[in-house]
Amino acid sequence: MESKQKLFIIIAVALMGLIVVGFIGVKQTSKPEFCSTCHSMQPAFDNWASSAHAEVDCMSCHSEPGFAGFVEVKLGGLKQVAVTLTSDVQPEDVVGLAHVNEERCLSCHEQEATDQVIPHMIHSSQEFGCMDCHDRIVHDPPELAVPDKSQEACIACHRQQ
């Protein structure tokens, strides 16, 4: 066998290995348990695990739809890993950093159904989004992640008007 053929085979096998390792890595880092491996994320993970959203994986809320959104959140995760490895990140340092697009909320929660309790349609027509009231409902400690918390926000806002 020629040396060029051997080199080609070695490169092809290495490339296939990288693809397999990359695929496994992407799958593993998309699991909620991966997020809990950083001590700074452990409280948020524990609160999520005991919330009504415990069956919803992180990527369902924290990535934009489509491949570009997936790549963006993975690159952000790599950045977070680098920051965690090079500094002393504490749980309070990560509160509120992860973005949730309200389209992700509405992909599961039908707005009309939620209007039975609170007139959400009126608020959304005034450019209020889900996260204006429900921003920490999944990752706050269970005693704080109850509807009364968002009702306090409603009362505070309506008193201003």
Side-chain angles (χ1 to χ4, degrees), residues 4-72:
K4 285 185 180 183
Q5 286 178 324
K6 286 181 183 179
L7 181 61
F8 176 77
I9 291 172
I10 290 171
I11 291 173
V13 168
L15 187 58
M16 291 296 280
L18 282 173
I19 290 170
V20 169
V21 168
F23 180 76
I24 292 170
V26 166
K27 293 292 274 183
Q28 293 301 313
T29 60
S30 296
K31 294 180 178 180
E33 292 77 16
F34 176 77
C35 298
S36 71
T37 60
C38 294
H39 80 279
S40 60
M41 289 299 299
Q42 191 64 51
F45 174 84
D46 292 343
N47 295 332
W48 162 83
S50 62
S51 77
H53 289 85
E55 298 299 319
V56 181
D57 68 87
C58 307
M59 297 294 286
S60 294
C61 297
H62 292 294
S63 70
E64 297 294 325
F67 183 72
F70 180 81
V71 169
E72 182 180 351

Side-chain angles (χ1 to χ4, degrees), residues 33 54 107 114 122 132:
E33 292 77 16
S107 68
T114 61
I122 293 169
D132 290 322

